[in-house]
Amino acid sequence: MRYNLLQKIDATDPLARLFNDYLKGLSTLAIMSEPSYVTMAELRALFLKTGKARDRNHLRHSARRYFELTVLRNSLHDIHRHVLESIALLERFFTDYDGDLLRYAIENRLAIIKEYGSDEESDWYRDNEADEAEAWKVTYKDDTESLTHYTLHADLGLHFGSDSRGEHLGTSGPADFYPYTTMVEQQSEFSFRKMLSSFTKQEVTFTHVGEDGNLTPMTLADHLEDEMNEDIRSRELVSRFNRALALCVEIAKHFPQLPLDQPAPYQALLDCLRAVRDVDTEPGEALHYD
């Protein structure tokens, strides 16, 4: 059995492609860390501290890397999901409610209580209280206290960490992905050619498909040129990755300031989230709501 440790995000938007390219840049590290060939005897030796110290240290290092890469993969999947779900929620708000924050909260409360119920007696009524056969109806309320948990801000808060532990928008910034971002940026340093050359103590020759369709050996100059081009692409990838995460952090910092009665800042928030999705990530004045 093999483990899809760096599982791709199943989407085609620019943010998904960016995150998938980032994950791909860690593929060599993932191969070195995955536990397919580790035995239970080796694992027991690790915990009992028996056997060779070198073998135990290697296994301990691989286990840590595997765990960290699992968290990293989950984080990128969650960040992408929160960006897209926040955008969908805001787009539905402006399409279905025409930017009316009060109507959103009122109708959202009625729909949620109707579907999931409520333990608050005042949330229910009958036209004829004496008629036991009459179905209960949800009481209409439009006061601030009753609508607190049903506002657009409250629903968006689920994507900014108000509901549970785990990765949300702004939870982790660019610095939190160190040292993996450095490894992505320096992919050529971890190439199989260099690893094999280091292991065999001699240059390793690979082949590629030539213009005539035949396999031809790659010269060292070819390898170096490919690695230089890869370094350029990797630096640009990392730059875009860091900007996307930085904008998520900036958006999250301003999120608590969003008012409950003004739709314009929510349009600004939507524009910023679209910028993250489209990897058009230059923070601007739209983030400031005061």
Side-chain angles (χ1 to χ4, degrees), residues 111-171:
I112 289 177
I113 293 178
K114 183 177 181 180
E115 183 172 357
Y116 299 105
S118 170
D119 295 329
E120 181 63 45
E121 289 186 9
S122 65
D123 284 337
W124 304 98
Y125 77 98
R126 287 176 174 147
D127 292 323
N128 183 0
E129 293 289 348
D131 185 359
E132 294 292 334
E134 182 184 349
W136 289 99
K137 301 176 183 178
V138 182
T139 306
Y140 175 93
K141 295 181 180 180
D142 59 11
D143 61 284
T144 301
E145 183 178 357
S146 297
L147 299 178
T148 298
H149 302 295
Y150 305 99
T151 63
L152 178 61
H153 191 276
D155 284 353
L156 285 168
L158 301 178
H159 302 292
F160 288 89
S162 66
D163 63 331
S164 63
R165 293 184 59 192
E167 196 71 69
H168 296 82
L169 295 178
T171 304

Side-chain angles (χ1 to χ4, degrees), residues 59-78:
L59 185 56
R60 184 181 296 108
H61 180 77
S62 295
R64 175 180 174 179
R65 287 294 190 218
Y66 190 85
F67 178 81
E68 290 176 347
L69 287 172
T70 300
V71 174
L72 184 151
R73 177 205 63 206
N74 292 345
S75 292
L76 294 186
H77 279 249
D78 285 343

Side-chain angles (χ1 to χ4, degrees), residues 213-273:
N214 295 320
L215 291 175
T216 57
M218 291 182 67
T219 66
L220 179 59
D222 291 333
H223 282 301
L224 293 176
E225 182 178 0
D226 283 352
E227 289 166 3
M228 287 177 61
N229 291 332
E230 183 179 22
D231 287 341
I232 294 172
R233 292 192 297 269
S234 296
R235 285 195 294 270
E236 174 60 19
L237 165 63
V238 164
S239 177
R240 293 163 63 230
F241 179 82
N242 285 339
R243 292 200 306 269
L245 290 183
L247 184 52
C248 286
V249 171
E250 187 74 4
I251 291 171
K253 183 175 70 174
H254 290 274
F255 176 76
Q257 303 170 16
L258 283 170
L260 301 178
D261 57 352
Q262 300 173 34
Y266 291 91
Q267 181 61 58
L269 174 62
L270 175 57
D271 293 339
C272 290
L273 289 167

Side-chain angles (χ1 to χ4, degrees), residues 2-287:
R2 294 295 177 266
Y3 300 87
N4 191 6
L5 177 56
L6 300 179
Q7 181 182 6
K8 294 175 61 176
I9 297 171
D10 187 17
T12 59
D13 57 88
L15 184 64
R17 294 199 301 270
L18 173 66
F19 284 175
N20 285 338
D21 287 343
Y22 184 96
L23 290 170
K24 183 179 179 181
L26 296 170
S27 57
T28 301
L29 187 64
I31 292 171
M32 296 171 61
S33 303
E34 68 98 31
S36 295
Y37 299 103
V38 176
T39 67
M40 289 303 297
E42 290 170 323
L43 197 61
R44 184 169 181 266
L46 170 65
F47 290 117
L48 294 180
K49 297 182 180 180
T50 59
K52 295 181 179 179
R54 182 186 63 183
D55 294 338
R56 296 201 313 270
N57 289 336
H58 174 74
L59 185 56
R60 184 181 296 108
H61 180 77
S62 295
R64 175 180 174 179
R65 287 294 190 218
Y66 190 85
F67 178 81
E68 290 176 347
L69 287 172
T70 300
V71 174
L72 184 151
R73 177 205 63 206
N74 292 345
S75 292
L76 294 186
H77 279 249
D78 285 343
I79 292 170
H80 176 263
R81 175 176 59 83
H82 285 304
V83 168
L84 264 60
E85 289 182 358
S86 296
I87 290 173
L89 175 58
L90 285 161
E91 288 178 341
R92 184 171 68 85
F93 165 68
F94 285 107
T95 299
D96 296 349
Y97 296 91
D98 196 28
D100 190 331
L101 289 161
L102 179 59
R103 183 162 71 91
Y104 176 93
I106 291 172
E107 294 185 13
N108 192 36
R109 173 187 167 275
L110 292 172
I112 289 177
I113 293 178
K114 183 177 181 180
E115 183 172 357
Y116 299 105
S118 170
D119 295 329
E120 181 63 45
E121 289 186 9
S122 65
D123 284 337
W124 304 98
Y125 77 98
R126 287 176 174 147
D127 292 323
N128 183 0
E129 293 289 348
D131 185 359
E132 294 292 334
E134 182 184 349
W136 289 99
K137 301 176 183 178
V138 182
T139 306
Y140 175 93
K141 295 181 180 180
D142 59 11
D143 61 284
T144 301
E145 183 178 357
S146 297
L147 299 178
T148 298
H149 302 295
Y150 305 99
T151 63
L152 178 61
H153 191 276
D155 284 353
L156 285 168
L158 301 178
H159 302 292
F160 288 89
S162 66
D163 63 331
S164 63
R165 293 184 59 192
E167 196 71 69
H168 296 82
L169 295 178
T171 304
S172 302
D176 298 308
F177 283 81
Y178 176 84
Y180 292 101
T181 298
T182 301
M183 295 178 183
V184 172
E185 188 174 25
Q186 299 174 357
Q187 289 179 59
S188 65
E189 293 299 316
F190 303 96
S191 68
F192 279 112
R193 180 188 71 82
K194 289 185 177 179
M195 292 172 58
L196 289 174
S197 296
S198 175
F199 181 75
T200 61
K201 306 302 182 183
Q202 60 184 359
E203 277 298 330
V204 177
T205 301
F206 291 96
T207 60
H208 69 103
V209 179
E211 294 181 359
D212 58 0
N214 295 320
L215 291 175
T216 57
M218 291 182 67
T219 66
L220 179 59
D222 291 333
H223 282 301
L224 293 176
E225 182 178 0
D226 283 352
E227 289 166 3
M228 287 177 61
N229 291 332
E230 183 179 22
D231 287 341
I232 294 172
R233 292 192 297 269
S234 296
R235 285 195 294 270
E236 174 60 19
L237 165 63
V238 164
S239 177
R240 293 163 63 230
F241 179 82
N242 285 339
R243 292 200 306 269
L245 290 183
L247 184 52
C248 286
V249 171
E250 187 74 4
I251 291 171
K253 183 175 70 174
H254 290 274
F255 176 76
Q257 303 170 16
L258 283 170
L260 301 178
D261 57 352
Q262 300 173 34
Y266 291 91
Q267 181 61 58
L269 174 62
L270 175 57
D271 293 339
C272 290
L273 289 167
R274 285 171 172 166
V276 175
R277 179 198 62 192
D278 298 336
V279 199
D280 181 16
T281 48
E282 292 297 338
E285 293 300 320
L287 286 170

